[in-house]
């Protein structure tokens, strides 16, 4: 009996930890060629949600980042993906959840004013948790005494959303958003293959 009881206790605590960690679910609602992604807040608190969709076979609007406050125990439509004709469609997404009271001081309602103040005349790197290329780039820039600022989107999701809105004119249907996302002068660079070549470019 004791082994069975121990197994049940372990199972109970595993389920409890899973339930506590599950804050927001992303669900689909299909209407013809339209696919609506909906965020469901499973908690009794208002949550600030950042959603970045990486889509293939959908209209360009699918690449826009979305940031919304999701009321407690409710569902909120986040983005509508519209399929292109005669093209295979699929998507992945990045989801960052912040408690509203810990939100950043930057206002998403006025993205251009805030983001221009942040990026003006600076080299900015947007990174993500587990991005080794981001860490290597920042370390290399430090070694070469190249001044830069680095923002982790898991910590600064609102600012990253403002940045993506700010550079929207530079995005095309072929754009692949890869990390690190680098703002340099009046240009944006998505990821890199050769670190040395990139650092030489950023030295100019």
């Amino acid at each position: 009996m004791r082994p069975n009881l121990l197994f049940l206790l372990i199972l109970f605590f595993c389920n409890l930890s899973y339930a506590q960690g599950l804050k927001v679910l992303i669900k689909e609602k299909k209407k013809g060629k339209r696919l609506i992604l909906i965020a469901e807040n499973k908690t009794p608190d208002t949550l600030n949600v950042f959603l970045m969709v990486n889509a293939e076979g959908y209209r360009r609007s699918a690449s826009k980042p979305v940031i919304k406050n999701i009321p407690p125990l409710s569902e909120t439509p986040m983005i509508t993906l519209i399929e292109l004709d005669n093209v295979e469609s699929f998507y992945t997404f990045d989801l960052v959840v912040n408690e509203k009271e810990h939100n950043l001081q930057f206002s998403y309602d006025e993205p251009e004013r805030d983001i221009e103040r942040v990026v003006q005349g600076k080299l900015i790197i947007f990174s993500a948790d587990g991005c080794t290329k981001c860490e290597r780039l920042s370390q290399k820039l430090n070694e070469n005494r190249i001044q830069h600022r680095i923002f982790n989107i898991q910590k600064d999701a609102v600012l990253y959303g403002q940045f993506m809105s700010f550079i929207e004119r530079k995005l095309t249907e072929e754009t692949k958003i890869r990390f690190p996302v680098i703002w340099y002068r009046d240009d944006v660079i998505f990821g890199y293959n050769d670190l040395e070549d990139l650092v030489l470019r950023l030295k100019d």
Side-chain angles (χ1 to χ4, degrees):
M1 292 294 291
R2 286 187 177 179
N4 289 338
L5 179 59
L6 180 61
F7 173 77
L8 289 174
L9 285 173
I10 292 172
L11 186 63
F12 171 77
F13 283 114
C14 287
N15 286 338
L16 181 61
S17 329
Y18 177 77
Q20 288 175 341
L22 189 63
K23 292 184 177 181
V24 174
L25 286 177
I26 298 296
K27 305 194 298 188
E28 297 181 355
K29 187 174 183 181
K30 181 86 170 175
K31 290 185 176 179
K33 290 187 178 182
R34 295 175 179 267
L35 182 66
I36 304 171
L37 298 187
I38 300 169
E40 180 183 2
N41 183 353
K42 308 285 287 185
T43 76
D45 304 309
T46 295
L47 298 176
N48 180 262
V49 172
F50 168 90
L51 180 70
M52 180 68 205
V53 177
N54 303 293
E56 297 276 354
Y58 295 93
R59 289 188 184 174
R60 180 183 168 187
S61 58
S63 298
K64 292 182 180 179
V66 183
I67 299 176
K68 291 186 179 181
N69 289 325
I70 313 298
L73 303 173
S74 67
E75 297 182 356
T76 300
M78 295 294 289
I79 190 170
T80 299
L81 307 180
I82 302 175
E83 295 176 352
L84 298 174
D85 292 330
N86 303 317
V87 177
E88 183 180 357
S89 58
F90 64 92
Y91 70 90
T92 60
F93 63 84
D94 297 306
L95 178 69
V96 180
V97 179
N98 299 304
E99 294 181 8
K100 187 178 178 184
E101 57 267 27
H102 295 144
N103 206 353
L104 301 176
Q105 65 270 31
F106 301 103
S107 168
Y108 191 61
D109 294 332
E110 299 176 314
E112 289 77 16
R113 186 190 68 185
D114 290 334
I115 197 64
E116 284 182 359
R117 175 173 56 82
V118 171
V119 304
Q120 186 175 15
K122 297 183 180 72
L123 171 59
I124 306 293
I125 299 170
F126 289 91
S127 69
D129 287 345
C131 175
T132 55
K133 282 191 169 184
C134 304
E135 295 170 3
R136 288 175 190 160
L137 174 58
S138 183
Q139 181 179 358
K140 198 71 174 177
L141 292 174
N142 286 330
E143 290 172 1
N144 285 270
R145 298 183 180 179
I146 300 175
Q147 291 189 347
H148 64 283
R149 297 183 67 182
I150 186 165
F151 294 97
N152 184 316
I153 69 160
Q154 264 82 1
K155 299 179 177 63
D156 294 340
V158 174
L159 183 60
Y160 179 70
Q162 292 176 4
F163 175 75
M164 294 304 294
S165 176
F166 177 67
I167 65 167
E168 183 181 351
R169 69 186 186 278
K170 296 180 178 291
L171 300 179
T172 68
E173 291 184 4
E174 290 74 35
T175 299
K176 303 293 184 185
I177 298 179
R178 300 184 299 156
F179 287 97
V181 177
I182 305 155
W183 171 263
Y184 178 57
R185 294 180 180 171
D186 191 33
D187 198 12
V188 61
I189 304 166
F190 294 100
Y192 63 88
N193 294 320
D194 190 309
L195 178 58
E196 297 294 338
D197 285 351
L198 176 61
V199 172
L200 285 175
R201 178 178 174 183
L202 299 178
K203 272 185 175 180
D204 295 338

